[in-house]
Amino acid sequence: MWLANLHGGARFALIASAPHLVPRRDAARLSAAGRERVVEAFLKHLDGMASVAWWGLRGTHLAAFAQPGLDAQLKAWIADTGRRDGARIAAIWSAEEGRREAVLPALFGVALNPRDDTAVRKQAVAAIVALVPERDAHLRHLLPLLTERPPDDRGGDIRGVVLRACWPWCFASAKEAFAVLESPPEGTVYGMHGWFLDQDLVRLLPPAWLPEALAWAQDTRPRPLTWAHGDVRSEL
């Protein structure tokens, strides 16, 4: 192992703080208990940091430290609202990258909890959409999120991800679908909601829904930073 020349305690501390530095073949040489310790120590390391640039955690590859208890480990960290965002998001991304479908109940629990942190909920929704097959009925459980307006989701990212996963097949009718569709409100930034309006709304629109779409586009007042509505009206 390339870290073998380090003292055992120092070696473990380095692995636990930066598991992405460990080649997968070396991670596989650890015992199941050793891999479990690495995952727990790494997430505790993140949880102990006051500030984490968690976008840099995508390459942590905790999946390389898979062992029989990993699903339960990740579920516990994801669901624990007392933990810091960086640690919970690292656990979410590890579940997504490792295709840990057994973790889905914890992800749905976070995504559908309006009292949970919005940054964590965004990543939970994205992980659900990545793990659940397209057009799977379980995605309908995300539809209640279309009626929420988290004030700190200025780009409408939660709405946008849900719409991109569920449009149009999750809706029983055009009336139901356009009842939850809206222009981003004042003060929003261009995020996943705007992306859906620009890229997917018309492209995936069933032809039979065209009358409702035209009525919606006519009645919905364009908002600042919303490029979609000019495009939607012209495309329709």
Side-chain angles (χ1 to χ4, degrees):
M1 189 172 183
W2 66 275
L3 295 174
N5 60 334
L6 292 177
H7 181 272
R11 182 171 64 248
F12 180 79
L14 178 58
I15 293 173
S17 63
H20 55 288
L21 296 179
V22 182
R24 287 178 179 266
R25 65 180 182 277
D26 289 340
R29 293 173 184 169
L30 294 172
S31 66
R35 294 195 295 274
E36 183 176 2
R37 286 180 59 218
V38 168
V39 172
E40 195 69 14
F42 174 64
L43 294 175
K44 286 181 177 178
H45 170 73
L46 296 178
D47 192 46
M49 299 174 67
S51 178
V52 178
W54 45 264
W55 281 110
L57 299 176
R58 269 293 187 186
T60 51
H61 301 306
L62 288 184
F65 296 90
Q67 33 77 27
L70 181 60
D71 290 338
Q73 221 177 352
L74 295 178
K75 285 194 286 188
W77 278 90
I78 290 167
D80 191 346
T81 58
R83 300 293 191 177
R84 294 187 189 273
D85 289 0
R88 297 178 70 199
I89 288 169
I92 289 171
W93 283 348
S94 296
E96 178 183 340
E97 292 168 355
R99 307 297 302 175
R100 314 296 298 193
E101 294 181 6
V103 180
L104 278 168
L107 294 172
F108 273 105
V110 171
L112 297 173
N113 181 4
R115 295 182 297 276
D116 211 328
D117 185 89
T118 299
V120 181
R121 295 179 73 199
K122 287 182 185 181
Q123 303 309 316
V125 171
I128 289 168
V129 171
L131 288 172
V132 175
E134 289 185 10
R135 294 179 175 261
D136 187 285
H138 288 90
L139 291 172
R140 288 192 172 94
H141 295 306
L142 298 175
L143 291 180
L145 297 176
L146 297 179
T147 63
E148 288 189 24
R149 306 291 183 273
D152 46 351
D153 186 10
R154 296 185 58 226
D157 293 324
I158 291 176
R159 285 178 58 82
V161 171
V162 174
L163 284 167
R164 298 198 78 197
C166 294
W167 183 269
W169 66 273
C170 275
F171 300 97
S173 66
K175 182 177 180 180
E176 178 188 355
F178 283 99
V180 298
L181 204 60
E182 63 176 29
S183 172
E186 299 282 359
T188 60
V189 297
Y190 190 80
M192 291 304 297
H193 189 194
W195 180 269
F196 164 78
L197 294 173
D198 276 348
Q199 303 294 326
D200 296 328
L201 171 59
V202 174
R203 181 175 63 87
L204 300 176
L205 185 72
W209 289 13
L210 184 58
E212 288 83 359
L214 288 168
W216 174 84
Q218 183 64 37
D219 295 341
T220 304
R221 182 168 62 89
R223 304 282 184 165
L225 295 181
T226 303
W227 293 271
H229 289 290
D231 294 336
V232 167
R233 288 172 177 148
S234 62
E235 288 179 35
L236 290 174

